[in-house]
Amino acid sequence: MRHRSRARTALLAVLVAVGVLTTSCGLPVDDGVRRSGTVRPDVAERRGGFLELPPPPQPKADPATIVSGFLDAQISGENRHEVSRKYLLPSTVWDDEAGVTVYSTAGRRTEKLVEGDPSVPGPLTYQVSFKEVGTIGPDGAATVRPPVQRSVMFRLVRDGGGEWRIDGLPGGLLLSTDTRDAAFRPFDVFFLPVGAAGPHLVVDRQLLPLGSGAEELVRRVLAPPSTGLADSGATAAPPGLGLVAPVRVDASGAATVDLGEAAAGLVPSAREALATQLVWTLRQVPNLLRLQLLVQGQPFLADGEALNVRNAFPAADPQGDQQLATAVVDGRLRAVGDALLPASVRQATSVLDLAVDPRSERVALLAGPADDVTLRVGGFAGPLATVAKGRGLLSPTWGDGTYGVWMLRTGANPGVLVSRGGGKPQPVSFPGLPKLDSSATLRVSRDGARVLLVSDGQLLVARVVPSPAGQLPRLVDVRQLRVSGTVAADWLDATTLAVLVSELRPLLLVSVDGVSQETVNQPLQEVLAQSVAASGDLPLLVGAVAAVAAEPATAGPELPVGTPSAAPSGKPTGEQSGVPAPDPTPTEAAPEARLFSGLPRQAFELKLKDALRPRYPG
């Protein structure tokens, strides 16, 4: 176990206050705290050191070309979409911070809606039709949805020079999937967990304009989470907290964040909690090494020292600190790698699955037979106490450990269950729960903020909403990610899933909002991948089954080519003798379980034979 820093005490002290605030008043944001920055993507292609911006409107361009040019120029947010605004009349009002509508790259059409004579001043109305496939909110939360046909209207008139310009249009940006990926970049913004028992942070994935740097990330920390995390997280910053000065990273890798007057009233534990949020979020700024925190020019933390951005507050890690990897081999647990199994599980038999709490020395073990499964829970040192027995229990998972162990129950009364404090498992609401098959997978993210569920080829994610003390959590915002034929999945980190899909079983990395899907490993040869375990920078573990053919039967020693039969003279062989000849056809053998290991974008290697259900803590 890694040493836990002073962040444990600080965050624990502030969590109660945060929970009260978020329940009672929703942490409103003052107008001075910008929830969505001006879209400033520095997305134009750089060649030879020159910045190539989209072209401005050309002389004598027709109305349809003006509308298309305006939309295409939105890839550049430089100076509040300066190029796009050149397609507008100077007096036209356009809110470029009203969110983003994302449409399919193919199929956008621009056409005149109302008949008119382009040779006269106008006005003319043009309609742009497209298939909407997602959005990016002003808070950075992204959504993906099945294509929906939509259209928006643009009104055009001639300006004083006789050129067509737009004088009426909807707010926000309209980007294709290609231009979205060129103009926005995902960032992890770190918040305090609401209702959690530990000192760790939770993660909010936000899409921010390309070119967003340290200052924009600081502002995101000072604001509440996006709708992607919502009331599952909160900031330690008081409402209305702003910055006294811009945030800049100097040549030595140092930056100063000077907070406004509202931070002066924060107690020491809340100050350290906010510092923890800032440090973990600003680790994504490549050249930032040291962070000096001030409040109106005075030291923000008691010691006044600059923080090492790369290694401060290790106990706040959303992944936890347990790294024990296990697999089931012939009904017994075996460590994957050099780690030693805890005494409480080393001698267990008929094991079906094991889950380890990533932050404590707690384990949850499922043991067979399959028609009468036993759930035993306890510490590494043991003993393990029987918590539940019954048919159809599977896929134990701890998440961050706040609510005890979660699991699935299949059969006549399917559901998601939680056992708090070693008590009887209780059902948790899961709206839209699909049919649970015998290989269904449930995993709670290690920061405790989300769950994933795989069953019947579907991949669903939901958000964990804390509940009052002593009550069960709620699962809300259930969404099916568009990954067809999912076989198994695990949390690589708090906002990324490692997903095995059917057919050829490639391994994908999928963002929790579904925006990003990347194939990172090609299928393993001659095996059928069935399960996956992932955890941060550790090697991926894939459990697979391969059918191995037995050796063909032989009648005796192999003879050299051209050698006459060794049968005695006059003694017929095979059918002539009435004795069947050996069948050279291989006989089918039982499937063989294999465990493979490897890093993304690298070839997997065989790690263990006869191994099933690889697991990392969580």
Side-chain angles (χ1 to χ4, degrees), residues 236-259:
L241 179 59
L243 294 171
V244 172
V247 179
R248 299 284 186 268
V249 181
D250 66 22
S252 70
T256 298
V257 173
D258 196 350
L259 300 168

Side-chain angles (χ1 to χ4, degrees), residues 414 430-437 453-456 458 460:
F430 195 114
L433 183 72
K435 175 185 176 183
L436 296 180
D437 55 42
L453 174 64
V454 176
S455 185
D456 199 26
Q458 301 178 64
L460 296 94

Side-chain angles (χ1 to χ4, degrees), residues 11-28 192-196 231-237 239 466-469:
L11 286 177
L12 284 173
V14 79
L15 285 178
V16 175
V18 168
V20 172
L21 284 172
T22 54
T23 302
S24 60
C25 64
L27 283 178
L192 306 178
V194 178
D231 51 356
S232 299
T235 181
S467 59

Side-chain angles (χ1 to χ4, degrees), residues 393 405-409 413-419 425-428 442:
L393 298 179
V405 61
W406 302 60
M407 73 207 77
L408 292 176
R409 180 175 59 203
N413 189 22
V416 177
L417 309 179
V418 168
S419 171
Q426 300 293 323
V428 175
L442 178 73

Side-chain angles (χ1 to χ4, degrees), residues 6 275-276 279 289-293 301 303 305-313:
R6 59 182 180 175
T276 305
V279 162
L289 302 176
R290 295 180 304 284
L291 180 64
Q292 182 69 56
L293 294 178
L301 297 176
D303 55 20
E305 296 180 0
L307 297 168
N308 186 320
V309 173
R310 302 302 168 188
N311 58 26
F313 308 117

Side-chain angles (χ1 to χ4, degrees), residues 39-43 51 53 75-83:
V39 183
R40 302 183 304 275
D42 191 10
V43 299
L51 182 64
L53 296 173
I75 193 172
S76 171
E78 194 74 10
N79 297 323
R80 295 199 64 228
H81 293 89
E82 179 181 16
V83 177

Side-chain angles (χ1 to χ4, degrees), residues 375 377 385-388 403-405 407 418-426:
L375 171 67
V377 178
T386 297
V387 170
Y403 297 106
V405 61
M407 73 207 77
V418 168
S419 171
R420 301 196 68 171
K424 180 181 178 180
Q426 300 293 323

